Amino acid sequence: MREELIVSGRMNPHIDPQLQIWEWHIPAYLFLGGLAAGILFFAGYFFIKGKSEEYPTAVKLAPIITPVLIVLGLVFLFLDLKHKLYFWRLYTAIKLESPMSWGAWTLMFIMPLSGIWAALNIESLFPKWDWKFDFVKNAIKWLRNYQKPIAWAMMILSVILGIYTGILLSAFNARPLWNTSILGPLFLVSGMSTGAAAIIILSKSKKERHTFAQIDLLLIAIELFLIVHMFMGFRASSQVQIDASEMFLGGDFTAPFWVFVVGLGLVIPAALEVMEMRNKKVPYMVAPALVLMGGLLFRFIMAYAGQMSRWLY
């Protein structure tokens, strides 16, 4: 018989409180928001550069799905709300210090802009498209005169939306895993990468796919750089953040994160994209599909692991 002396209740599992209020709705919303932001950014950028005909998928086709992505993300966000009938109160004030306020107002403006952009380009993709009502046709004709300012606004708002998805988590100072300034840029770059991946999947042009494979390769390199420096920051920080990082460095999230997010979601797609650009026979849809999978899993893992991290000291 072996006698053990328990000096702290923290040696027992589930003694310390864990934040368990965010389930699958929030990471799914963060993924869809980042994906929509990435697509809209590239649409606005290449339109302003005058390359609409050279990259039609990026400028015209892919943005058509962004209103659906944003609406679906808002549905998930609504389902997560505790007091659903009071969501409108977010729009009764503007609080610059609140990420929630930034996100609510950004979504308020970017959603109609994404719908307008889709409406402006749908006729070029579907020649038989008929708006039926003259007032809609006149409105579309009038909006074409302001397409460039719309593209600029869409680009700026998409960057805010992409970085907000990370800042939403990093604003929770009580959760050491989320409490890092790298999380905002990391989520932004990840969203841009998933946007580029979606364009590659939808595109039928080899030139366009190669261009976005190069863009995605650069974004993956930046994402890996940020991930490494995020953990370097954790390891050089306070004990609670060291403990939070250990969930990914030998803890429960080690295999899911490094195998599925970093390995299958970043490193392997990067290798496949390099091979494709060197004219190797590689199914072009595999790499972007893995990037999308990695981006989704990244948000799920960060959301759940962050709720498990806590202050003990």
Side-chain angles (χ1 to χ4, degrees):
M1 180 177 180
R2 185 178 66 178
E3 182 179 356
E4 291 185 359
L5 179 64
I6 299 177
V7 296
S8 171
R10 286 175 175 161
M11 294 176 64
N12 296 317
H14 306 301
I15 293 297
D16 286 299
Q18 293 181 5
L19 183 69
Q20 293 180 332
I21 59 171
W22 282 355
E23 297 182 3
W24 64 270
H25 312 86
I26 297 301
Y29 157 70
L30 297 176
F31 171 74
L32 293 174
L35 176 58
I39 292 173
L40 291 174
F41 176 83
F42 290 123
Y45 175 78
F46 284 106
F47 176 82
I48 291 168
K49 296 288 286 185
K51 296 185 177 181
S52 299
E53 300 305 319
E54 192 174 351
Y55 303 115
T57 305
V59 177
K60 300 177 182 179
L61 177 59
I64 288 179
I65 67 173
T66 55
V68 178
L69 296 175
I70 295 172
V71 169
L72 189 58
L74 288 174
V75 169
F76 292 156
L77 188 60
F78 180 77
L79 292 174
D80 182 75
L81 294 176
K82 183 67 174 179
H83 303 288
K84 295 178 173 57
L85 296 180
Y86 296 96
F87 76 93
W88 56 270
R89 296 188 68 177
L90 284 167
Y91 298 102
T92 60
I94 298 177
K95 295 186 176 182
L96 297 179
E97 72 277 10
S98 169
M100 288 285 189
S101 185
W102 275 93
W105 284 101
T106 299
L107 288 165
M108 168 70 80
F109 290 110
I110 202 169
M111 185 174 170
L113 281 180
S114 68
I116 289 170
W117 193 263
L120 290 172
N121 292 289
I122 197 168
E123 292 178 28
S124 62
L125 296 169
F126 304 99
K128 294 184 180 180
W129 185 273
D130 184 10
W131 288 106
K132 294 185 179 180
F133 301 104
D134 289 338
F135 75 92
V136 176
K137 294 177 182 178
N138 292 333
I140 296 294
K141 185 177 180 180
W142 178 76
L143 286 168
R144 289 191 193 283
N145 299 323
Y146 302 95
Q147 200 163 355
K148 198 165 186 177
I150 292 171
W152 273 108
M154 198 166 63
M155 278 182 61
I156 294 168
L157 289 171
S158 66
V159 171
I160 296 173
L161 176 61
I163 204 167
Y164 143 77
T165 58
I167 292 176
L168 178 65
L169 299 182
S170 66
F172 284 84
N173 296 333
R175 298 296 145 184
L177 183 66
W178 293 343
N179 190 20
T180 168
S181 59
I182 290 181
L183 211 58
L186 180 55
F187 271 60
L188 172 62
V189 174
S190 177
M192 295 293 177
S193 179
T194 58
I199 292 168
I200 294 171
I201 290 174
L202 294 172
S203 178
K204 295 180 180 179
S205 166
K206 188 175 181 179
K207 180 183 177 182
E208 187 173 28
R209 292 201 303 266
H210 277 209
T211 298
F212 278 90
Q214 292 174 332
I215 292 171
D216 194 34
L217 193 59
L218 175 61
L219 291 169
I220 287 174
I222 296 172
E223 194 172 349
L224 288 170
F225 174 85
L226 292 173
I227 288 172
V228 169
H229 280 73
M230 180 177 70
F231 283 103
M232 287 175 63
F234 285 149
R235 302 303 292 179
S237 188
S238 61
Q239 185 61 45
V240 288
Q241 289 189 308
I242 293 173
D243 292 342
S245 70
E246 287 177 353
M247 291 191 291
F248 296 84
L249 302 172
D252 294 340
F253 293 95
T254 303
F257 183 78
W258 296 104
V259 174
F260 293 103
V261 175
V262 175
L264 289 175
L266 295 173
V267 175
I268 291 178
L272 292 174
E273 286 171 348
V274 170
M275 291 171 63
E276 185 184 358
M277 285 186 287
R278 293 182 177 180
N279 297 318
K280 303 292 184 182
K281 290 186 177 180
V282 178
Y284 76 89
M285 292 187 67
V286 175
L290 288 174
V291 169
L292 290 170
M293 179 206 72
L296 179 62
L297 289 177
F298 172 63
R299 284 155 180 81
F300 269 87
I301 289 171
M302 290 301 293
Y304 281 96
Q307 293 179 91
M308 293 174 63
S309 66
R310 72 277 191 195
W311 284 85
L312 298 180
Y313 311 103

